[in-house]
Amino acid sequence: MDTSTLEQLVVCGFEWTWLSGKPSSLLESQPILITKKDLADFEDEKRNGAAVASVDKTHLVSARWIHRLLRWRVETRGISPIPLHERTDVAYSRMFTFWMAISVNVLPFFTGLLGPLLYGLSTRDSCLVIFFINVLSTIPPAYFVTLGPKLGLRQTILAKYSFGQYLVIPIVLFNLVGLLGFNIISSILGGQTLSSITDGRMSWTVGIVIIAVIALVVSFMGYTVLHWYERLSWVPVLITFLITVGVGGKHLKNPVEFAPATAPVVLSFASAIAGFMVSYVCISADFACYMPPDAPSSHLGSKLLFWYTYFGLLIPTVVLQCLGAAVGACIPNVPSWQVGYENGSTGGLLAAMLSPIGGFGKFLLVLLSLSVTGSIAAGFYSLSLNFQVISPFLRRVPRCVLSIVGTAIVIPLAIAGGHRFFDTLSDFLGIIGYWTSAYGTILALEHFIFRHGNAAEYDVSTWDRASKLPYGVAAILSLAIAFGIAVPAMDQVWYVGPIAKTTGDLGFELAFVAALVVYPPLRWLEIRFSGHV
């Protein structure tokens, strides 16, 4: 092969490009050396008509292993932009089922329990907060999904157009903590529920490992398998929840009496609910970037994608959180529920609710325990992409390998934190809400003010060129200021700010307002100084 010539091979419509002498523009760093045997294997794949996915080239894994991963239909592409000709997934309706699968599980059910059990709110008050807060906080993640097909960028790469090449790294670290936290919490929930099937004979630890490994398999395979799994997994779980309500519904008309709701308590619960939903803004575009910007039609594509995502998130989240609030308000009046909850947390509670139907109830508990695997798999998928943003070295590690790394982190932390679950969830949702409120606001201001709401004003070719991206100083300062202003209004188990002592938790709201006010002038100054957007 001529070492100065760029060679190409087309396999099933996908273009493979390599340069044996120096890296081509399609390679992120070092070239891949492809042997004649590898070329023969690729030609065999082409003749056999096997469908393979496009791949980011990496010199840390041999071409032979890349070929094997492709034969197994594993997505090996990482964070590099997806070219327009590879955005071929026209099934926009998948986004509805995808987000349904993310949301139809025991995590939103447990989040609803926080209303009566932690904040002392009645079913009615809890449901009002759940409904109105979710109606508003679902808008940001649903909108940012629409930028995935338009730009072919992952969500963290999109953040570079506000935070720059290097200052985006702290944002990625925050996001990694959030993704790890949600996956840890979901793994604990699934492990608890799986353990409750055996009346405690199988430990939470074993249940956590089983749940995490199943989710790993799905995330390892990548985009296509992830969407296929999410398309199907939510249906039996939804049926299971309906049966659970049917079996235990007679007790829901006997809630305990609660004191009238106060503003501080309502605001604190609202902050936890908002933190649950707004956190999706950190990952939303990851799951739509293989879709074309003009499908199914040029004038309806983005609108359909928005509404599919919006209702796919909103409907199951509101319903299951309200169900959790209704059940939580009745636990003290139902002795079996009380004992189940005290002995096995959420898993024990669900086991107690389904106990009247015997063995079939245990089968349904298996489905409920597996319900979190879809959410965890999506988390592992985005986790692997976030890892690659941290350093050029990690970009050379295949995305699927980084899914394994994420799983190896989640399992021991979930095992360690399993028995402090209630406090852990409440604290985590609040903290996530504070920073994602400011983060989402900054991205929205960048898009609508400085990019004029036009995806064409993002130069995708500069996604990894620091000199062509913003400095990121305006964004990181705005985030720091917003978080600093939120601190006095935080209300957590470990800290209650001076403002929060009077008003309740206003951290989410103040972070939003502060970012809204501070970012535009700072960004304008940054543009004046740098000479480009």
Side-chain angles (χ1 to χ4, degrees), residues 132-466:
F132 287 108
I133 294 300
N134 279 313
V135 163
L136 295 175
S137 58
T138 307
I139 294 173
Y143 183 80
F144 280 105
V145 165
T146 66
L147 296 183
K150 292 177 180 178
L151 300 172
L153 295 177
R154 311 291 190 169
Q155 188 66 50
T156 50
I157 301 303
L158 182 61
K160 284 188 175 186
Y161 291 84
S162 298
F163 289 89
Q165 175 77 351
Y166 303 111
L167 291 180
V168 79
I169 293 176
I171 301 304
V172 172
L173 294 176
F174 279 132
N175 198 25
L176 283 171
V177 172
L179 288 168
L180 287 170
F182 271 112
N183 280 3
I184 289 167
I185 288 170
S186 297
S187 297
I188 294 170
L189 268 176
Q192 287 176 349
T193 308
L194 203 56
S195 174
S196 67
I197 299 169
T198 65
D199 298 321
R201 290 189 297 274
M202 182 179 74
S203 69
W204 289 11
T205 297
V206 175
I208 287 169
V209 172
I210 292 172
I211 295 299
V213 169
I214 293 173
L216 168 63
V217 172
V218 177
S219 67
F220 183 91
M221 296 301 294
Y223 179 92
T224 300
V225 173
L226 183 65
H227 271 272
W228 175 83
Y229 181 79
E230 308 288 21
R231 190 173 189 177
L232 302 171
S233 64
W234 63 276
V235 177
V237 180
L238 178 61
I239 295 172
T240 300
F241 271 115
L242 293 175
I243 295 172
T244 304
V245 173
V247 173
K250 62 183 179 181
H251 297 294
L252 297 180
K253 59 185 179 182
N254 296 313
V256 298
E257 293 292 331
F258 290 91
T262 62
V265 172
V266 169
L267 289 172
S268 297
F269 183 51
S271 179
I273 295 299
F276 181 92
M277 185 62 79
V278 173
S279 62
Y280 287 121
V281 78
C282 302
I283 63 174
S284 52
D286 292 347
F287 309 108
C289 52
Y290 281 97
M291 295 178 173
D294 57 351
S297 60
S298 59
H299 66 288
L300 288 179
S302 293
K303 293 180 180 178
L304 283 175
L305 192 60
F306 173 87
W307 290 115
Y308 280 139
T309 302
Y310 184 82
F311 287 115
L313 277 170
L314 180 68
I315 294 172
T317 300
V318 169
V319 170
L320 290 177
Q321 286 181 348
C322 287
L323 175 60
V327 171
C330 299
I331 287 176
N333 284 343
V334 185
S336 62
W337 292 8
Q338 182 74 37
V339 171
Y341 182 75
E342 290 175 353
N343 293 337
S345 190
T346 307
L349 171 62
L350 291 169
M353 294 179 69
L354 289 169
S355 60
I357 53 177
F360 182 60
K362 292 184 181 295
F363 169 73
L364 295 179
L365 278 175
V366 174
L367 296 180
L368 288 176
S369 67
L370 296 177
S371 68
V372 296
T373 56
S375 176
I376 298 171
F380 284 154
Y381 182 82
S382 287
L383 197 70
S384 65
L385 298 171
N386 277 258
F387 277 133
Q388 291 190 333
V389 182
I390 296 175
S391 77
F393 173 81
L394 291 175
R395 279 171 48 190
R396 300 170 190 172
V397 179
R399 179 209 58 79
C400 51
V401 174
L402 293 173
S403 287
I404 299 175
V405 175
T407 307
I409 296 172
V410 165
I411 289 176
L413 292 177
I415 292 171
H419 295 280
R420 293 190 64 256
F421 180 68
F422 201 89
D423 291 340
T424 301
L425 176 61
S426 176
D427 293 348
F428 175 73
L429 289 177
I431 295 170
I432 286 296
Y434 302 139
W435 93 267
T436 54
S437 172
Y439 169 79
T441 302
I442 290 168
L443 294 190
L445 291 171
E446 176 70 28
H447 180 69
F448 288 106
I449 295 179
F450 300 101
R451 312 277 176 177
H452 307 103
N454 185 3
E457 297 195 20
Y458 294 83
D459 186 353
V460 177
S461 66
T462 66
W463 73 277
D464 202 29
R465 298 170 60 188

